[in-house]
Amino acid sequence: MRMALPEPGSTRRNAKRLWLRMGVSAALLAVLVFKISSENIVPSHPTAGTFAFLVAGLLLMCGSFVLAAWRWQLVLAVFGAHIPMRVLFKHYLAGQFVGNVLPSTIGGDVLRVSRVSKDVGASDVAFASVMLERLTGFVALPLLTLVGFIARPDLLQGRAWVAVIIAVGTVGVLFLVMILAASPHLAGRFAEHENWMRYIGIIHIGVDRLRRDPRDAAAALFAAVSYQVAVIGAIYCAVHVIGLRIPNGAVLAFVPAVAIAQVLPISVGGLGVREGLLAFFLHSLGVPTGQAVAVGLVWYAMTLLVSLLGAPAFAVGHRRPTVVASTTGDVTARPAAQRADAARREAS
């Protein structure tokens, strides 16, 4: 399957957006950094425990990448595409390398779609798998924020309500997306289209199957929650690397809200947005702005370091497509043209 090359005009627009996002990140970080002193950022007395938490955080972040690849595998299985875990982990690492390390205009998700489409033989299925995998994360994050506030209801005051609003707003948007995607009269009517609208239809097929099979939906959600818990565990370690003493419930309540907000396409890698929100939420707990910013920077540094493991996978590429072991003979795992031919034969 050949991927269409981006048009020159589109490339220039993407480059402008990238520079704009880099400018936003730089501006936000500048505002934060100029307000703090280095004494508030660097731990004054690092110990063996400091380095132990740093190593544990890196291991948890690496483990979260494995869990994310597993989540992706479960979503692909919904479409009848069974890809080996090692292959998807390699694709995921390459995508993280592009998304977090390289100042690229294509993004890690685009790379993942491009590579797994060679494995499944259908770009629409590859696209839908990545989109649904992402959507499961937006189910898990508000859920974890809710658990954090249930564990520590005393946090529900002042600025903490912003985290609740972010979580509730995310659930509302997700509910609307799922209603539209599950409707056979809205998204479903594009399932047999041959143009770009088939991507909407294939998402409908995936959502409909998850709705009809609670076991698949529960497995994907469990993998999503496990992934987010591993990330939160890494941030918990970052808190201790900086030497903060805050309630564990605060980490569980605030970190998912920050993780939701940092995916907004207004900065590079969430830089500035992540650190600013951490400073905003932790201020009510008496945390100095410098230490809150430091937690965000350690969070980003751990993500960056683990993402570097994807450099070989990105450099080598994906020259030999994986044979898809499908026991269901699933029609959605075929290219769109084959699906249309099959539909015409069935109709005749």
Side-chain angles (χ1 to χ4, degrees):
M1 178 178 298
R2 298 180 62 183
M3 300 297 294
L5 295 176
E7 298 179 358
S10 175
T11 301
R12 284 193 295 270
R13 286 193 297 272
N14 289 337
K16 288 179 181 178
R17 293 192 194 101
L18 176 62
W19 281 106
L20 180 61
R21 292 166 64 179
M22 291 173 65
V24 170
S25 289
L28 290 173
L29 285 176
V31 169
L32 292 169
V33 171
F34 288 154
K35 289 183 176 181
I36 59 182
S37 61
S38 60
E39 290 81 4
N40 287 332
I41 298 180
V42 181
S44 55
H45 301 289
T47 63
T50 303
F51 295 104
F53 273 114
L54 180 59
V55 172
L58 288 170
L59 291 175
L60 281 168
M61 191 63 73
C62 187
S64 74
F65 283 20
V66 176
L67 290 169
W70 176 45
R71 175 180 64 176
W72 191 14
Q73 184 184 49
L74 291 174
V75 174
L76 277 165
V78 172
F79 296 98
H82 302 276
I83 311 298
M85 182 68 179
R86 59 179 177 78
V87 174
L88 291 178
F89 183 56
K90 183 179 70 172
H91 294 341
Y92 191 84
L93 277 178
Q96 290 297 105
F97 176 74
V98 170
N100 296 322
V101 180
L102 298 182
S104 171
T105 59
I106 64 170
D109 285 346
V110 176
L111 181 72
R112 289 201 288 148
V113 170
S114 173
R115 292 198 172 181
V116 83
S117 65
K118 298 176 182 178
D119 296 319
V120 302
S123 59
D124 50 358
V125 171
F127 171 81
S129 71
V130 172
M131 293 301 101
L132 289 180
E133 182 238 337
R134 284 290 193 180
L135 284 175
T136 60
F138 288 103
V139 175
L141 287 169
L143 177 64
L144 291 172
T145 291
L146 176 63
V147 171
F149 283 122
I150 291 175
R152 289 298 301 261
D154 56 303
L155 294 173
L156 280 171
Q157 54 184 336
R159 299 181 177 185
W161 285 102
V162 176
V164 176
I165 292 171
I166 291 174
V168 173
T170 301
V171 171
V173 172
L174 182 64
F175 180 76
L176 178 61
V177 170
M178 296 298 284
I179 289 294
L180 295 175
S183 171
H185 302 295
L186 295 174
R189 65 194 183 95
F190 300 112
E192 295 301 330
H193 281 234
E194 284 296 302
N195 56 16
W196 64 269
M197 288 187 290
R198 73 182 188 274
Y199 292 94
I200 301 174
I202 199 69
I203 291 177
H204 160 75
I205 293 174
V207 170
D208 186 63
R209 290 184 180 183
L210 287 172
R211 181 175 61 86
R212 293 175 183 274
D213 193 336
R215 289 177 300 178
D216 286 346
L221 182 59
F222 177 77
V225 171
S226 300
Y227 162 72
Q228 299 297 348
V229 167
V231 173
I232 292 172
I235 313 312
Y236 172 83
C237 293
V239 167
H240 285 274
V241 167
I242 302 304
L244 293 184
R245 294 293 181 267
I246 59 176
N248 295 336
V251 178
L252 188 57
F254 295 138
V255 168
V258 174
I260 292 171
Q262 73 171 358
V263 301
L264 293 173
I266 60 174
S267 64
V268 176
L271 274 172
V273 175
R274 172 179 52 248
E275 290 74 21
L277 279 176
L278 284 171
F280 177 81
F281 287 133
L282 299 181
H283 176 78
S284 58
L285 299 178
V287 177
T289 300
Q291 290 185 309
V293 170
V295 171
L297 293 176
V298 173
W299 177 354
Y300 179 67
M302 289 192 298
T303 305
L304 200 65
L305 286 172
V306 177
S307 297
L308 285 171
L309 297 175
F314 172 72
V316 171
H318 187 47
R319 296 186 179 89
R320 291 185 298 178
T322 303
V323 177
V324 180
S326 176
T327 58
T328 62
D330 197 337
V331 70
T332 61
R334 306 175 198 168
Q338 293 183 16
R339 293 202 304 272
D341 289 343
R344 282 193 291 268
R345 286 196 298 270
E346 290 175 1
S348 61

